[in-house]
Amino acid sequence: MPPEDPHQITVHLDAVLAERGITLVELAERVGVTPVNLSILKNGRAKAIRFTTLSALCRELGCQPGDILSFTEDKAP
């Protein structure tokens, strides 16, 4: 099996949480996911996110998906 290509998505959940004064555990409870799964997302180790989860995050944080996620273009040749 070939190795997976690294993704180019950066997660800014920690910054948004800090701006809103919300803890990861509080957000996890409000969104209905485990703190462990939310931590995996926050630390950039998630391989996918459901649109329902992203929608819930945006609803609870009062933000847009682009506030949480950004794409960084690979500059390697």
Side-chain angles (χ1 to χ4, degrees):
M1 179 178 280
E4 290 185 24
D5 289 332
H7 65 77
Q8 296 167 269
I9 301 298
T10 303
V11 181
H12 308 285
L13 188 56
D14 52 349
V16 177
L17 285 170
E19 288 172 4
R20 306 296 193 278
I22 300 173
T23 67
L24 186 76
V25 172
E26 180 184 353
L27 182 61
E29 289 173 2
R30 289 167 57 176
V31 172
V33 299
T34 67
V36 170
N37 284 341
L38 204 52
S39 179
I40 289 169
L41 175 64
K42 181 179 81 86
N43 293 321
R45 296 189 322 261
K47 294 183 182 193
I49 183 170
R50 292 181 180 180
F51 282 136
T52 53
T53 302
L54 184 57
S55 295
L57 290 172
C58 290
R59 180 189 69 238
E60 293 300 324
L61 294 170
C63 68
Q64 294 293 312
D67 297 327
I68 299 172
L69 305 172
S70 65
F71 173 76
T72 306
E73 189 152 356
D74 188 10
K75 302 290 185 193

